[in-house]
Amino acid sequence: QVQLVESGGGVVQPGRSLRLSCAASGFTFSNYAMHWVRQAPGKGLEWVALIAYDGSNKFYADSVRGRFTISRDSSKNTLYLLLNSLRAEDTAFYYCARDHDRFCSGGNCYPGYWGQGTLVTVSS
Amino acid sequence: QSVLTQPPSASGTSGQRVAISCSGSSSNIGNNNVHWYQQLPGTAPKLLIYKNIQRPAGVPDRFSGSKSGTSASLAISGLRSEDEADYYCASWDDSLTGPVFGGGTRLTVL
């Protein structure tokens, strides 16, 4: 079955960086686009970033574009999110999600399976 | 302020039918599929309805989706206490080039 396990969260000072990882198993990783979605404590869902199944396209929310970088390593079945120039408003649970359909490269991609999330707290 | 608009709360008694609305625009719902997610307290979201009306395996047929123009709706019939959760709609937005979510609707079963 599909398994997504996030790691790398923690407490970090404003302006610093953090790298999140998502270990994927139970499916052919290289066939699926992958997402990061975040949720501030007690708030709603906010899509953060998307990488095409083959890594050819990357999309970002306006709130993180230029600060966050999504990447994938198909040899390790792992998705990454590099968070730079962190702000207090980036504090949230960060969920890794696999796209529902195979071979999505952008346009109508949507999360199908979700990990359990990792908490990032930005505080001095 | 979310791109897709949902009522913040909804409620119903056991056995009742409730509907949750999701309103968007021509750049998202009007031109793309709508998906619904259920988030039970303290857990990760789960896909409930995809491509407007499709149910993933294991989702009871008490849950149904519909879409018309720039709006969509999630209906839950035969309401049960275990349906108490937050529900989110989502759709691809052509202008923002990414998925957008509604603000979420908290469903209470009275």
Side-chain angles (χ1 to χ4, degrees):
Chain A
Q1 71 280 21
V2 175
Q3 277 204 307
L4 300 166
V5 180
E6 302 94 336
S7 61
V11 180
V12 60
Q13 293 179 329
R16 304 298 290 263
S17 299
L18 204 61
R19 190 179 80 159
L20 306 182
S21 300
C22 171
S25 61
F27 63 99
T28 303
F29 183 70
S30 57
N31 285 353
Y32 290 88
M34 298 294 294
H35 304 255
W36 286 101
V37 179
R38 69 183 180 183
Q39 186 172 35
K43 302 297 184 182
L45 300 174
E46 179 188 16
W47 172 79
V48 172
L50 159 68
I51 184 167
Y53 73 100
D54 58 358
S56 60
N57 292 323
K58 301 177 184 181
F59 303 87
Y60 298 94
D62 288 344
S63 57
V64 307
R65 187 176 293 113
R67 298 189 301 124
F68 291 8
T69 302
I70 190 171
S71 61
R72 64 190 299 158
D73 185 339
S74 290
S75 70
K76 296 182 179 179
N77 286 354
T78 301
L79 175 73
Y80 302 100
L81 185 68
L82 178 61
L83 295 69
N84 290 328
S85 303
L86 280 162
R87 307 166 180 168
E89 54 265 36
D90 295 320
T91 294
F93 286 94
Y94 283 74
Y95 294 101
C96 159
R98 194 204 81 176
D99 203 73
H100 184 260
D101 302 325
R102 290 186 302 168
F103 307 129
C104 191
S105 57
N108 270 304
C109 298
Y110 59 101
Y113 293 89
W114 300 63
Q116 288 307 301
T118 187
L119 178 61
V120 173
T121 303
V122 183
S123 173
S124 54
Chain B
Q1 191 85 358
S2 301
V3 174
L4 305 181
T5 301
Q6 298 180 235
S9 63
S11 63
T13 57
S14 291
Q16 260 192 335
R17 178 184 184 277
V18 297
I20 297 171
S21 63
C22 176
S23 177
S25 68
S26 58
S27 67
N28 40 68
I29 293 177
N31 199 38
N32 296 295
N33 292 320
V34 177
H35 320 287
W36 291 90
Y37 299 88
Q38 178 193 57
Q39 186 175 31
L40 298 170
T43 70
K46 166 191 156 185
L47 183 64
L48 194 65
I49 298 287
Y50 66 97
K51 295 180 181 177
N52 309 317
I53 61 171
Q54 304 296 328
R55 278 188 308 275
V59 173
D61 59 6
R62 301 187 297 106
F63 295 89
S64 62
S66 64
K67 174 187 147 178
S68 178
T70 59
S71 294
S73 182
L74 171 71
I76 309 171
S77 59
L79 207 56
R80 298 183 177 184
S81 58
E82 57 260 38
D83 297 334
E84 276 206 344
D86 294 326
Y87 293 85
Y88 296 89
C89 60
S91 182
W92 184 271
D93 191 289
D94 295 328
S95 299
L96 298 175
T97 57
V100 289
F101 286 94
T105 299
R106 176 152 295 178
L107 175 66
T108 302
V109 181
L110 303 169

